[in-house]
Amino acid sequence: MSRAHLLAVARGDAEPDLVVTGARVFSVFTREWLEGDVAVAGGRIAGVGSYTGGERIDAAGRHLVPGLIDAHVHIESSKLLPSEFARVVVARGTTTVVCDPHELANVLGAAGAHWLLDASSGLPLRVYVMAPSCVPASALESPRGPLGTEDMASILRRGRALGVAEVMDFPSVIAGDPDVLAKVALHPHVDGHAPGVTGRELDAYAAAGIRSDHEATTWEEALEKRRRGLWVLLREASNARNLLDLLELVRRFGPEHCAFCTDDREPDMLVREGHIDSMCRAAVAAGIAPENVLLMATLHPARCHRLADLGAIAPGFRADLVVLEDLESFRAETVIAGGAVAARDGAALAFDAPAVPAWVRDSIRLAPLGDDALDLGPAAGRVRVIELQAEQLITGAGEAEPAVAGGRVVADPERDLAKLAVVERHHATGRVGVGLVHGFGLRRGAFASTVAHDAHNLVVAGVDDASMRACVERLAELGGGIAVADAGAVRGALALPVAGLLSEAPAEEVVAAMDELTALLREQGVTGSAPFMTLSFLALSVIPELKLTDHGLVDVAAARVVPLAL
Amino acid sequence: MSRAHLLAVARGDAEPDLVVTGARVFSVFTREWLEGDVAVAGGRIAGVGSYTGGERIDAAGRHLVPGLIDAHVHIESSKLLPSEFARVVVARGTTTVVCDPHELANVLGAAGAHWLLDASSGLPLRVYVMAPSCVPASALESPRGPLGTEDMASILRRGRALGVAEVMDFPSVIAGDPDVLAKVALHPHVDGHAPGVTGRELDAYAAAGIRSDHEATTWEEALEKRRRGLWVLLREASNARNLLDLLELVRRFGPEHCAFCTDDREPDMLVREGHIDSMCRAAVAAGIAPENVLLMATLHPARCHRLADLGAIAPGFRADLVVLEDLESFRAETVIAGGAVAARDGAALAFDAPAVPAWVRDSIRLAPLGDDALDLGPAAGRVRVIELQAEQLITGAGEAEPAVAGGRVVADPERDLAKLAVVERHHATGRVGVGLVHGFGLRRGAFASTVAHDAHNLVVAGVDDASMRACVERLAELGGGIAVADAGAVRGALALPVAGLLSEAPAEEVVAAMDELTALLREQGVTGSAPFMTLSFLALSVIPELKLTDHGLVDVAAARVVPLAL
């Protein structure tokens, strides 16, 4: 459909494709609610006025707002294919996401990001990609391979690539490391990630040219970032619920330079709470004016990412529209994406999803576990223990007098000390790191996951080696996933065959399967709200204090491998 | 200076080049006034804090704000070389302008825009260029040649080219004319120009992808444009003083999506009133909060033009800074451009200006005026008359019973009817359009200009042919300019040898010369505030109702040439 046709519709010389009638129409440019029908032609908005012809969508008494935009998300955290993720979030009113495919890139290299772009082509959801900047997350992790500037450049040449993804290695940025600065310099638009960074270190981080951050956990930290010209991306993730704390910034300084993002949401959170709509709901409930809330969910994320045609209901903008029942529930009655109805009454309409190529299903390369692969070594006094913290990604660096059997250190379920192992799974090297973790509550058996940030090797926790081995073997058979075993036998598993990260099943099935596995774990003593997510972050070598990778226990502050024995 | 050095300064590991101490520092991101010193290194801002070393600029008790930005200006209207324009406006706190060089492009083609880029290289003023989209302004004008899409593309390849300049031919845009839409499609960033366009026509104009407008004259018109996603560029030009009327939009809807621009300012306005600083002064005097005023003069024009490193005092942004004495006078005590002091106490520091190449001085190609070149033709009843309107660019289409001498229509100073001629001056074709104009008050002699929008042919008004011819001959000798003659002899002239548009003299001399010429005109009876500017717009064939080009009288609404005789 040509631009000339759009203009003809705008003038009234041609019929629109579609007209949304009778709604109160939100103007992001004036914060007004305008009266008028909204005409759509060729996927774009022709105007707000009165129009003849076209498909009519009656929205009398409702509110019409631009499609919601997620300013920063890792789709992989949903454990869903991009098409399935789209089905879930489009039904909630989200029409655009800006994602960092760094989980896929850890497993599949640049090809993982390219596949995400392919797999999100033609969806009712606009999926933009930032080129991952921190693969591996540290030198102590083993992804399939490092992602270099040439790999990033290959991603940046794609049509839906917008810039450089969150530069998580903030110490190297601040220190002026030339390799990291070379990645930052690849594109003028660079997302940030600077948890707890303030003062002069934040000055240096911002001076590098980085212009957003989604890691602030207090409004004061967010204010420091906003003063320095960073877009403040208010986050509400499964494992990082920061929204309510950050809204004080909006109360005091207005919604400018603020936008919403979800970062990482487990499938159950998406299905049960929603997506950006859940943030709108929570923010309005917390007393923020709906108009300001909507700005942070529409125009502002578009502006942050320099998406000049998105985030507004105005002539020439993309026709991404949501009919909201009201401004409290933010329930999406009808969702229009690219000028076509994409969802009605909370359910996405059917669409053709790209086929999944075989090669993304074939990512697990595990060497057989040797007899002593899970051995914690000879007893020799006190040992280091990874201490879980309730509902947090950070862990403590604890210590304990270990249980001993046959002269070797072993797990001790009576004291909630489980064995933890990370098994390299990209190149079948047979490299295994082992350690002890305290706090899962595991009394019997084992559980495992090939989702294990950021390198996504296989992580398994257990109190008997036979169950741990059973989990590893099952995940090898499944081509990745999560599993629970007891007494040396697998009790249940969810296959995540795509890169070992994603299911090919519908979201509801994935949620049901995870619920079931979590229930099995409860029977084996495990507590905590999201044990598989907790497990998956124990391998992330850049979050304090003590973690485990295939190289062994990592003292994060010191950035080095340390032995089990103290 | 490398980015790594900037980061070292930010961290405190290296000394800044320059530190502005003690000022209250404006944060465009929070509207706060921060306490702290501002460090600069390598032309960029390192941070706001406390720093050791470097050149110190004491700004205690003053306000430090980002360098002011003009969102839309034709530098040529200043009649000054770009370097001289820079000297004048930098002293006033302007550090960036986004200009449309369409006057130069009418005279010199694409080369005119290229020269402007060359001539503004290395100045303390950042000069960005939009590629002129409407040369000629209409088919009834004769510039040196039309500027096609290839010419525009050649300009857009330059480093400081930002997009497509004001698309003045709004009727063709609205009608969906493919040639005009092809120009709009040359770049994603397109400035607009849609005087009085509202409703569905404005929908069509905006739907073309145009995202700014500087032609609104009422706040209601500006509101319509803002709702449609057009940046509202509030204008205060010599001949279009719209600021105070438009500020009501800011009062009612806030400063978002609004920015300041000057469009066209005569040299006397620049020297006597100032530049963007004069708009700040006027807006604060009109009751707008200084913080909102500053947003419209700094961050907002930068955002409008997608200049991500300008318009803020924050790490990594360009170090363009103004120390203001106060927030009422907006007097610039010190101006820092690109990290170096560029002006102090209202005077720019010396800098090297690029040399002016000979070819831009050689633009006048006039055929000798034939004996009957200025003849208005045989008397044949009533005739059309261009009716001046006080302080406006629009003219009325009047009529009169003409004076007759020797059977030919002639001027009639008793009834304030002057003869008007436009002489083609690019290709020496000898083509001359003639007509009558009412309202100058000219009682004797003639006056002329090679500044004659937009094609910049030679325009001359007079009540005796000998004086008109004397003006034409003098301007041919000078290579362009403005002149006043009486009794067949030139009384005074100002050479504008660069493209027939610009002087090479300092601003103060140009102003003095124009004052003198205006005084001469007063002696010859001329009234009105800016007679040379009024004269220069009588040839602009796209401003209603009756105009004159080298093709003859133009009925603007009908877009055709009409005879003198009714």
Side-chain angles (χ1 to χ4, degrees):
Chain A
M1 200 75 76
S2 73
R3 186 70 72 155
H5 177 69
L6 176 68
L7 270 58
V9 172
R11 290 193 308 269
D13 293 339
E15 284 197 0
D17 303 338
L18 183 151
V19 183
V20 182
T21 63
R24 305 186 69 206
V25 180
F26 185 53
S27 166
V28 294
F29 301 109
T30 60
R31 291 186 173 85
E32 295 171 289
W33 294 95
L34 305 174
E35 306 286 335
D37 302 337
V38 174
V40 170
R44 292 184 187 264
I45 291 159
V48 183
S50 179
Y51 300 86
T52 320
E55 180 188 347
R56 318 293 283 189
I57 294 177
D58 177 13
R62 317 294 204 290
H63 294 78
L64 187 68
V65 303
L68 308 182
I69 302 175
D70 189 339
H72 174 71
V73 60
H74 305 283
I75 291 179
E76 301 98 315
S77 292
S78 73
K79 298 186 173 65
L80 305 174
L81 288 177
S83 54
E84 182 63 8
F85 176 85
R87 193 180 67 81
V88 172
V89 303
V90 165
R92 299 294 201 143
T94 302
T95 53
T96 298
V97 298
V98 178
C99 75
D100 171 6
H102 75 198
E103 320 303 355
L104 283 164
N106 267 274
V107 177
L108 302 173
H114 285 287
W115 172 68
L116 184 79
L117 282 158
D118 297 341
S120 56
S121 175
L123 302 181
L125 181 72
R126 290 178 206 284
V127 177
Y128 291 99
V129 160
M130 304 291 277
S133 65
C134 297
V135 178
S138 87
L140 303 175
E141 289 189 26
S142 308
R144 168 151 302 184
L147 203 74
T149 51
E150 280 307 312
D151 296 310
M152 292 174 67
S154 80
I155 297 163
L156 287 168
R157 284 192 284 274
R158 296 288 296 262
R160 280 180 279 122
L162 297 181
V164 174
E166 51 173 337
V167 187
M168 296 189 292
D169 188 1
F170 57 87
S172 294
V173 173
I174 293 164
D177 177 87
D179 291 341
V180 172
L181 293 188
K183 290 178 176 177
V184 170
L186 279 175
H187 199 278
H189 178 43
V190 185
D191 271 343
H193 164 114
V197 178
T198 59
R200 298 190 74 140
E201 297 202 324
L202 185 57
D203 286 341
Y205 190 74
I210 293 165
R211 289 290 172 76
S212 76
D213 176 81
H214 55 266
E215 292 290 336
T217 56
T218 67
W219 74 266
E220 294 92 339
E221 180 186 346
L223 173 61
E224 271 216 54
K225 289 169 172 173
R226 181 160 155 184
R227 283 175 178 159
R228 284 164 177 85
L230 302 180
W231 278 89
V232 173
L233 307 185
L234 294 80
R235 174 176 62 184
E236 188 77 352
S238 288
N239 54 354
R241 291 180 174 266
N242 307 120
L243 176 66
L244 294 184
D245 293 331
L246 297 178
L247 285 176
E248 186 64 17
L249 178 74
V250 179
R251 277 187 206 99
R252 294 188 184 217
F253 293 93
E256 288 77 32
H257 317 293
C258 291
F260 288 158
C261 77
T262 64
D263 204 359
D264 294 285
R265 286 202 174 184
E266 291 276 315
D268 67 324
M269 186 176 185
L270 288 174
V271 167
R272 292 181 178 130
E273 295 184 40
H275 191 233
I276 296 296
D277 60 315
S278 75
M279 297 187 70
C280 294
R281 208 156 34 241
V284 166
I288 308 296
E291 294 77 15
N292 287 346
V293 168
L294 284 165
L295 284 177
M296 295 189 282
T298 60
L299 183 68
H300 290 187
R303 284 275 163 92
C304 167
H305 289 295
R306 310 178 185 194
L307 294 164
D309 285 357
L310 297 180
I313 304 177
F317 280 72
R318 298 282 181 184
D320 296 347
L321 300 163
V322 185
V323 179
L324 293 177
E325 289 184 19
D326 55 63
L327 299 178
E328 290 173 3
S329 75
F330 281 85
R331 204 171 291 124
E333 186 178 273
T334 305
V335 181
I336 294 164
V341 175
R344 279 207 182 90
D345 301 322
L349 306 196
F351 58 87
D352 289 332
V356 178
W359 65 270
V360 299
R361 288 203 197 86
D362 185 24
S363 73
I364 305 290
R365 296 283 182 281
L366 275 168
L369 282 184
D371 288 346
D372 58 355
L374 301 179
D375 182 23
L376 286 169
R382 296 177 70 78
V383 294
R384 290 184 167 83
V385 174
I386 297 172
E387 290 282 353
L388 299 187
Q389 315 275 323
E391 312 299 317
Q392 294 201 54
L393 299 185
I394 62 165
T395 53
E399 53 183 84
E401 194 65 44
V404 177
R408 316 298 289 180
V409 176
V410 294
D412 185 355
E414 296 303 315
R415 288 190 291 152
D416 192 11
L417 282 168
K419 186 184 285 188
L420 188 69
V422 174
V423 185
E424 193 281 322
R425 63 96 159 173
H426 300 294
H427 298 290
T429 58
R431 192 164 54 239
V432 180
V434 289
L436 287 167
V437 59
H438 176 255
F440 272 124
L442 187 69
R443 303 295 303 261
R444 287 164 25 207
F447 63 117
S449 172
T450 55
V451 177
H453 297 274
D454 270 350
H456 301 295
N457 287 302
L458 191 159
V459 62
V460 54
V463 293
D464 81 84
D465 285 7
S467 295
M468 292 175 78
R469 285 172 184 275
C471 283
V472 173
E473 280 160 25
R474 178 61 63 86
L475 294 187
E477 289 162 20
L478 293 174
I482 58 179
V484 177
D486 191 18
V490 172
R491 300 179 69 203
L494 168 64
L496 299 172
V498 174
L501 302 174
L502 310 181
S503 167
E504 296 184 80
E508 295 73 13
E509 284 181 28
V510 174
V511 171
M514 291 196 66
D515 284 352
E516 198 178 304
L517 292 173
T518 304
L520 294 178
L521 278 187
R522 298 272 181 255
E523 294 172 6
Q524 293 172 218
V526 168
T527 56
S529 67
F532 285 102
M533 172 169 274
T534 301
L535 182 68
S536 75
F537 276 96
L538 291 182
L540 184 48
S541 61
V542 292
I543 298 201
E545 295 184 34
L546 191 63
K547 291 291 192 285
L548 182 73
T549 76
D550 55 318
H551 295 275
L553 285 167
V554 174
D555 176 335
V556 175
R560 64 187 177 87
V561 170
V562 292
L564 180 67
L566 278 159
Chain B
M1 199 76 75
S2 74
R3 186 68 74 155
H5 177 70
L6 177 68
L7 270 59
V9 173
R11 291 193 308 269
D13 294 338
E15 284 196 0
D17 303 339
L18 183 151
V19 183
V20 182
T21 64
R24 305 185 70 205
V25 180
F26 185 54
S27 166
V28 294
F29 301 109
T30 61
R31 290 188 174 85
E32 295 170 289
W33 294 95
L34 305 174
E35 306 285 336
D37 301 337
V38 174
V40 170
R44 292 183 187 264
I45 291 161
V48 183
S50 178
Y51 300 85
T52 319
E55 180 187 348
R56 318 293 284 190
I57 294 178
D58 177 13
R62 317 293 203 291
H63 293 79
L64 188 69
V65 304
L68 308 182
I69 302 175
D70 189 338
H72 174 70
V73 61
H74 305 283
I75 290 178
E76 301 97 314
S77 291
S78 72
K79 299 187 173 63
L80 305 175
L81 288 177
S83 53
E84 182 63 8
F85 176 85
R87 193 180 67 80
V88 172
V89 304
V90 164
R92 299 294 201 143
T94 302
T95 53
T96 298
V97 298
V98 178
C99 76
D100 171 6
H102 75 198
E103 320 303 355
L104 283 164
N106 267 273
V107 177
L108 302 172
H114 286 287
W115 173 69
L116 184 79
L117 282 158
D118 297 341
S120 56
S121 174
L123 301 182
L125 181 72
R126 290 178 206 284
V127 177
Y128 292 98
V129 159
M130 304 289 279
S133 65
C134 298
V135 177
S138 87
L140 303 176
E141 288 189 27
S142 307
R144 169 150 303 184
L147 202 73
T149 52
E150 281 307 312
D151 296 310
M152 292 174 66
S154 79
I155 298 163
L156 287 167
R157 284 192 285 272
R158 295 289 296 262
R160 280 179 280 122
L162 298 181
V164 174
E166 51 174 336
V167 187
M168 296 188 292
D169 188 1
F170 58 86
S172 294
V173 173
I174 293 164
D177 177 88
D179 291 341
V180 172
L181 293 187
K183 290 179 176 178
V184 171
L186 279 176
H187 198 278
H189 178 42
V190 185
D191 271 341
H193 164 115
V197 178
T198 60
R200 298 190 75 139
E201 297 202 324
L202 184 58
D203 287 341
Y205 191 73
I210 293 165
R211 289 292 172 77
S212 76
D213 177 79
H214 54 266
E215 291 290 336
T217 55
T218 67
W219 75 266
E220 295 92 340
E221 180 186 346
L223 173 61
E224 272 216 53
K225 289 170 171 173
R226 181 161 156 182
R227 283 174 178 159
R228 284 163 177 85
L230 303 180
W231 279 89
V232 173
L233 306 185
L234 293 80
R235 174 175 62 184
E236 187 76 351
S238 288
N239 55 353
R241 292 180 173 266
N242 306 122
L243 177 65
L244 294 183
D245 294 331
L246 297 178
L247 285 177
E248 186 65 17
L249 179 74
V250 178
R251 276 188 208 100
R252 294 187 183 218
F253 294 93
E256 288 76 31
H257 316 294
C258 291
F260 288 158
C261 77
T262 63
D263 203 359
D264 294 285
R265 286 200 175 185
E266 291 277 315
D268 66 324
M269 187 175 184
L270 288 174
V271 167
R272 293 184 176 127
E273 296 185 39
H275 191 232
I276 297 298
D277 60 317
S278 75
M279 298 187 70
C280 294
R281 207 156 34 241
V284 166
I288 308 296
E291 294 77 16
N292 286 347
V293 168
L294 283 166
L295 284 176
M296 295 189 282
T298 60
L299 183 69
H300 290 186
R303 284 275 164 91
C304 167
H305 288 295
R306 310 177 186 194
L307 295 164
D309 286 356
L310 297 181
I313 304 177
F317 280 73
R318 299 282 180 183
D320 296 347
L321 300 163
V322 185
V323 180
L324 292 177
E325 290 184 20
D326 56 62
L327 298 178
E328 290 174 2
S329 74
F330 282 85
R331 204 170 291 126
E333 187 178 272
T334 305
V335 181
I336 294 164
V341 175
R344 280 207 181 90
D345 300 322
L349 306 196
F351 59 86
D352 289 331
V356 177
W359 66 269
V360 300
R361 287 203 197 86
D362 185 25
S363 74
I364 305 288
R365 297 282 182 281
L366 275 169
L369 281 185
D371 288 346
D372 59 354
L374 302 178
D375 181 23
L376 287 168
R382 294 176 71 78
V383 294
R384 290 185 168 82
V385 174
I386 298 171
E387 291 282 353
L388 300 186
Q389 315 275 324
E391 313 299 317
Q392 294 201 55
L393 299 185
I394 62 166
T395 53
E399 53 183 84
E401 194 65 45
V404 178
R408 316 298 290 180
V409 175
V410 294
D412 184 355
E414 296 302 317
R415 288 190 290 154
D416 192 11
L417 282 169
K419 186 184 284 188
L420 188 69
V422 173
V423 185
E424 193 280 322
R425 64 96 160 175
H426 301 293
H427 298 290
T429 57
R431 194 165 52 239
V432 180
V434 289
L436 287 167
V437 58
H438 175 257
F440 273 123
L442 187 70
R443 303 295 301 264
R444 287 163 26 207
F447 63 117
S449 172
T450 54
V451 178
H453 297 274
D454 269 353
H456 301 294
N457 286 301
L458 192 158
V459 62
V460 54
V463 294
D464 82 84
D465 284 6
S467 295
M468 292 175 79
R469 286 173 184 272
C471 284
V472 173
E473 279 159 27
R474 177 62 63 89
L475 294 186
E477 288 161 20
L478 292 174
I482 58 178
V484 176
D486 192 16
V490 171
R491 300 178 68 203
L494 168 65
L496 299 172
V498 174
L501 302 173
L502 310 181
S503 169
E504 296 184 80
E508 295 73 11
E509 285 181 26
V510 174
V511 171
M514 292 196 64
D515 284 352
E516 197 177 305
L517 292 173
T518 304
L520 293 178
L521 279 186
R522 299 271 181 255
E523 293 171 9
Q524 293 173 217
V526 169
T527 56
S529 66
F532 284 104
M533 172 168 274
T534 301
L535 181 68
S536 75
F537 277 96
L538 290 182
L540 184 49
S541 62
V542 292
I543 298 203
E545 293 183 34
L546 192 61
K547 291 289 192 287
L548 182 73
T549 75
D550 55 317
H551 295 275
L553 285 167
V554 174
D555 176 334
V556 175
R560 65 184 178 88
V561 171
V562 292
L564 181 67
L566 277 157

